[in-house]
Amino acid sequence: MADLDPLSALAWLVDAGADEAVGEAPVNRLTAKPAPKPTDYLQPAPGYRPAPPPQRPAFTPARPAPTLAQQARTPAALPLDGDEIGTAMEIAARAQTLPDLKAALEAYDGCTLKKLATNTVFADGVPGARILCIGEAPGRDEDKAGLPFVGRAGKLLDKMLAPIGLDRTKNVYIINVLPWRPPDNRNPDPVEVAKCIPFLRRHIELANPDLIVLLGAVAVRNVMGRTDGIMATRGKWLEYHVNGRMVPVMPTLHPAYLLRQPAHKRLAWRDLLAIDDKIKSLQLLEPGSGNL
Ligand code: URA
């Protein structure tokens, strides 16, 4: 190394990408320096003074969350400061009942989808039912009516549920991932979805189901975080963590998809039979209330 020709050393450095000199004075990097002993790193530099420990405020126990009625009296307590996802998380978490959550969703103005929708579509069926069906988003009929699954897909959903004893007027609760119709049924963008997810998760907690049916790929992706597609997940039991319990989840085909692909109704029928077995083994319905 010592007899390396300086010009060819420079050419090598230029080839390696060096394009400027960084120091005023040349440094001979070939002169060996003694390696520091490992413990040298641990020695404080001369003049070093340790920083004082951080001052923490005295411990105060968490206050109970104010009710929505209290919040309504103090609107400044919940400013919409641009962090709409954070705001959605906070007001969803504060809802203590399903009517609280409905009121919170109707008061929330952070999502563009809401501005373009006619109604907030919260839920249909029996609040607190042991079986919860989750769809994708309201369509035109649902947006008009303010209720989920009232159009053609909804009629087919009712027909799918009836043979296994499920009926939205008696023992099923029905919600969607999105409570607002995307205009012209376009795909919602990821930020729009992110603002709806805190309300969805709180909705599931407050509904506190014992069995969840996911209708279609959008529900599977946003409830279970699965991106492997509905054909890969349908018909297989998954589990959702709610209120300290693991609840069985069955993904199946969305009724709107089945209207377009009626040949796949036999796959959905198999999923419904599996749901029926689970309902019976967990005794989720009154004996004799099923039709099979
Ligand atoms: N499709 C859905 O996913 N939900 C509805 O409410 C209507 C159609």
Side-chain angles (χ1 to χ4, degrees):
M1 281 297 241
D3 55 5
L4 191 64
D5 162 30
L7 257 186
S8 47
L10 186 61
W12 186 90
L13 286 171
V14 170
D15 284 348
D19 56 4
E20 62 176 323
V22 291
E24 291 293 318
V27 178
N28 184 352
R29 300 189 193 281
L30 301 177
T31 314
K33 268 200 262 159
K37 284 186 272 137
T39 49
D40 286 352
Y41 298 115
L42 303 177
Q43 300 309 313
Y48 166 80
R49 280 181 302 122
Q55 298 295 309
R56 293 186 199 288
F59 173 77
T60 45
R63 275 177 296 152
T67 64
L68 281 186
Q70 285 166 336
Q71 288 167 35
R73 285 196 294 277
T74 54
L78 266 185
L80 274 181
D81 58 2
D83 175 15
E84 269 85 3
I85 298 176
T87 304
M89 289 172 67
E90 186 155 342
I91 66 175
R94 286 183 189 186
Q96 298 301 311
T97 63
L98 291 170
D100 265 4
L101 187 68
K102 185 168 189 282
L105 202 50
E106 285 168 348
Y108 177 67
D109 278 329
C111 183
T112 40
L113 290 178
K114 182 178 184 194
K115 299 190 175 94
L116 302 165
T118 311
N119 278 302
T120 295
V121 176
F122 186 67
D124 196 16
V126 180
R130 303 185 78 178
I131 292 117
L132 170 66
C133 292
I134 308 180
E136 179 179 335
R140 199 187 35 195
D141 296 327
E142 291 76 17
D143 181 51
K144 244 195 227 164
L147 289 171
F149 283 103
V150 294
R152 279 182 73 220
K155 303 269 177 300
L156 179 56
L157 177 63
D158 290 342
K159 280 192 196 150
M160 291 162 68
L161 297 178
I164 58 168
L166 298 179
D167 178 334
R168 69 171 90 190
T169 67
K170 295 196 182 109
N171 51 22
V172 190
Y173 191 57
I174 301 175
I175 66 174
N176 279 314
V177 170
L178 302 180
W180 300 293
R181 180 194 184 209
D184 300 323
N185 297 343
R186 69 159 165 78
N187 285 331
D189 72 39
V191 175
E192 289 166 339
V193 176
K195 290 168 183 174
C196 297
I197 296 301
F199 294 104
L200 170 69
R201 298 195 82 92
R202 187 69 182 138
H203 206 157
I204 300 172
E205 277 174 1
L206 293 172
N208 198 25
D210 290 312
L211 190 153
I212 299 175
V213 181
L214 297 178
L215 301 165
V218 171
V220 174
R221 186 164 64 241
N222 289 290
V223 175
M224 300 304 303
R226 297 276 296 244
T227 53
D228 43 353
I230 187 65
M231 283 304 177
T233 44
R234 63 142 285 276
K236 300 187 185 109
W237 286 106
L238 306 172
E239 283 188 317
Y240 184 82
H241 190 239
V242 59
N243 301 325
R245 297 178 298 134
M246 297 309 284
V247 169
V249 175
M250 175 56 74
T252 190
L253 301 173
H254 192 289
Y257 170 81
L258 293 173
L259 287 171
R260 296 190 302 272
Q261 299 287 339
H264 284 169
K265 284 183 184 170
R266 65 194 167 80
L267 298 177
W269 179 240
R270 274 191 227 156
D271 305 342
L272 290 164
L273 291 179
I275 293 168
D276 185 58
D277 281 348
K278 186 69 83 181
I279 288 174
K280 285 178 177 144
S281 68
L282 297 179
Q283 301 181 347
L284 299 181
L285 295 185
E286 297 288 310
S289 62
N291 289 341
L292 290 179

